[in-house]
Amino acid sequence: LEHKTLEAMRSQQTASLGTPRGVKRQHLLVVGEGLSTWVKKNQSSSMQLKISYVPLALRQVTSDQIHQLGTIDLLAIGVTTPNECEDPMMSELRAVTGSPPTMVCHSSGEPRLTPQNEDFFFLKGPLTTDTFTTVIKCLRVKSELKIGTSSISRLGRPQSRIFSQQELKAASQAPSNLECECPSHLAKLVEALSEFETYSSECSVNNWSDAATHACIYSYANQARWLIEKALATALSDHKVTGAIPTPATDHSARL
């Protein structure tokens, strides 16, 4: 097929999937009476999370309660000792929720076993807002990357732009309260990747092998651009940029 035909087909597919710009809120499930109370009192709206609470001890949670909550992206569990991670109930809870990246908050000074699972983060109380927010950010990144590696077929779905050219220009020029220039560098990376994304979609091909290769190159470039845009959104939030930068609208389709 010629390029114009392929472009039209891609536009039709993108339109059918929906292309609102922005970032989808991830769903955090908090389990445990003490932890639920603390998070309700201290969680910041800046985290932009959908949060569900099950204020029960681990052994009291049922699968029916979890299924009613829908898809869970992140999990935070309050326990007495960290070794409760070896409890079958912990394994069952993670299995029911799809084994999302998990924060385990405990108040024990006992040594803990180390699960053979990099999706666990341990926090020893008392909690602080800064520590909780930092670990949540780590969990969010792990969740998004996990989605990307779980099914390579997702590479076939083009990721919509989060920032317009005007917003990128504003981000690259806006002053920051910190000394580093992360927003500026990230904005330039997004621009460069966007240019290559367009270039790779227009490369001429001579056979099906070339077409398959260029389709993969385009998909990876598209995902790389989207990930750097996510990094830019994080930098703009964390750096407390003082310039007037438009806030991207909520995107209900942008998933890796």
Side-chain angles (χ1 to χ4, degrees), residues 95-116:
V96 170
T97 55
S99 299
T102 302
M103 173 194 302
V104 178
C105 304
H106 65 95
S107 56
S108 171
E110 298 177 11
R112 67 172 176 83
L113 299 176
T114 303
Q116 299 300 314

Side-chain angles (χ1 to χ4, degrees), residues 15 19 28 37 42-43 74 80-81 89 95 97 115 124 138 151 160 175 194 196 198 209 211 226 234 245:
T19 57
L28 167 66
T37 300
N42 296 279
Q43 69 95 5
L74 314 170
T80 303
T81 67
M89 292 299 297
T97 55
K124 183 179 182 303
C138 294
S151 174
S160 56
S194 297
F196 180 77
T198 301
S209 178
W226 182 74
T234 300
I245 295 182

Side-chain angles (χ1 to χ4, degrees), residues 6 28 44 59 67 76 88 93 151 193 209 256:
L6 291 173
L28 167 66
S44 171
R59 288 184 171 275
H67 285 310
L93 175 60
S151 174
L193 286 168
S209 178
L256 177 61

Side-chain angles (χ1 to χ4, degrees), residues 97-168:
T97 55
S99 299
T102 302
M103 173 194 302
V104 178
C105 304
H106 65 95
S107 56
S108 171
E110 298 177 11
R112 67 172 176 83
L113 299 176
T114 303
Q116 299 300 314
N117 189 326
E118 295 182 355
D119 286 341
F120 275 99
F121 280 81
F122 288 88
L123 279 180
K124 183 179 182 303
L127 293 177
T128 66
T129 303
D130 287 343
T131 303
F132 180 80
T133 302
T134 298
V135 175
I136 286 294
K137 288 180 180 179
C138 294
L139 292 179
R140 295 177 74 167
V141 172
K142 280 183 172 289
S143 174
E144 288 171 351
L145 295 181
K146 182 178 180 180
I147 292 170
T149 58
S150 64
S151 174
I152 197 166
S153 65
R154 289 180 179 270
L155 286 173
R157 175 182 295 187
Q159 299 293 348
S160 56
R161 293 289 298 271
I162 296 177
F163 293 94
S164 66
Q165 288 299 116
Q166 180 183 2
E167 291 167 344
L168 284 176

Side-chain angles (χ1 to χ4, degrees), residues 7-256:
E7 190 68 26
M9 292 172 64
R10 184 165 72 94
S11 297
Q12 290 174 358
Q13 181 193 42
T14 301
S16 66
L17 292 172
T19 57
R21 293 176 28 234
V23 181
K24 176 185 177 296
R25 290 197 307 166
Q26 291 179 308
H27 189 182
L28 167 66
L29 171 61
V30 181
V31 176
E33 183 176 0
L35 183 59
S36 295
T37 300
W38 187 92
V39 175
K40 286 181 181 179
K41 181 179 179 180
N42 296 279
Q43 69 95 5
S44 171
S45 60
S46 64
M47 288 195 295
Q48 297 181 339
L49 290 171
K50 174 185 176 182
I51 304 179
S52 296
Y53 300 92
V54 179
L56 298 172
L58 182 60
R59 288 184 171 275
Q60 297 176 314
V61 180
T62 65
S63 58
D64 288 340
Q65 291 172 310
I66 304 302
H67 285 310
Q68 295 175 4
L69 301 175
T71 302
I72 304 298
D73 301 300
L74 314 170
L75 182 60
I77 304 175
V79 297
T80 303
T81 67
N83 287 339
E84 289 182 50
C85 287
E86 302 302 314
D87 192 301
M89 292 299 297
M90 176 73 81
S91 299
E92 182 177 344
L93 175 60
R94 280 176 50 78
V96 170
T97 55
S99 299
T102 302
M103 173 194 302
V104 178
C105 304
H106 65 95
S107 56
S108 171
E110 298 177 11
R112 67 172 176 83
L113 299 176
T114 303
Q116 299 300 314
N117 189 326
E118 295 182 355
D119 286 341
F120 275 99
F121 280 81
F122 288 88
L123 279 180
K124 183 179 182 303
L127 293 177
T128 66
T129 303
D130 287 343
T131 303
F132 180 80
T133 302
T134 298
V135 175
I136 286 294
K137 288 180 180 179
C138 294
L139 292 179
R140 295 177 74 167
V141 172
K142 280 183 172 289
S143 174
E144 288 171 351
L145 295 181
K146 182 178 180 180
I147 292 170
T149 58
S150 64
S151 174
I152 197 166
S153 65
R154 289 180 179 270
L155 286 173
R157 175 182 295 187
Q159 299 293 348
S160 56
R161 293 289 298 271
I162 296 177
F163 293 94
S164 66
Q165 288 299 116
Q166 180 183 2
E167 291 167 344
L168 284 176
K169 183 177 180 180
S172 66
Q173 298 176 351
S176 169
N177 289 341
L178 298 184
E179 294 183 0
C180 76
E181 299 180 358
C182 285
S184 176
H185 289 307
L186 288 169
K188 292 176 181 177
L189 281 173
V190 172
E191 290 179 348
L193 286 168
S194 297
E195 291 178 2
F196 180 77
E197 187 180 355
T198 301
Y199 169 81
S200 65
S201 70
E202 297 174 350
C203 285
S204 60
V205 296
N206 298 317
N207 51 52
W208 281 108
S209 178
D210 286 351
T213 298
H214 282 85
C216 287
I217 292 173
Y218 169 80
S219 294
Y220 283 119
N222 175 264
Q223 296 293 326
R225 185 265 305 155
W226 182 74
L227 282 174
I228 297 300
E229 282 190 296
K230 295 275 286 184
L232 176 58
T234 300
L236 293 177
S237 172
D238 290 357
H239 286 49
K240 296 180 177 60
V241 173
T242 57
I245 295 182
T247 301
T250 301
D251 181 356
H252 298 286
S253 66
R255 294 296 295 270
L256 177 61

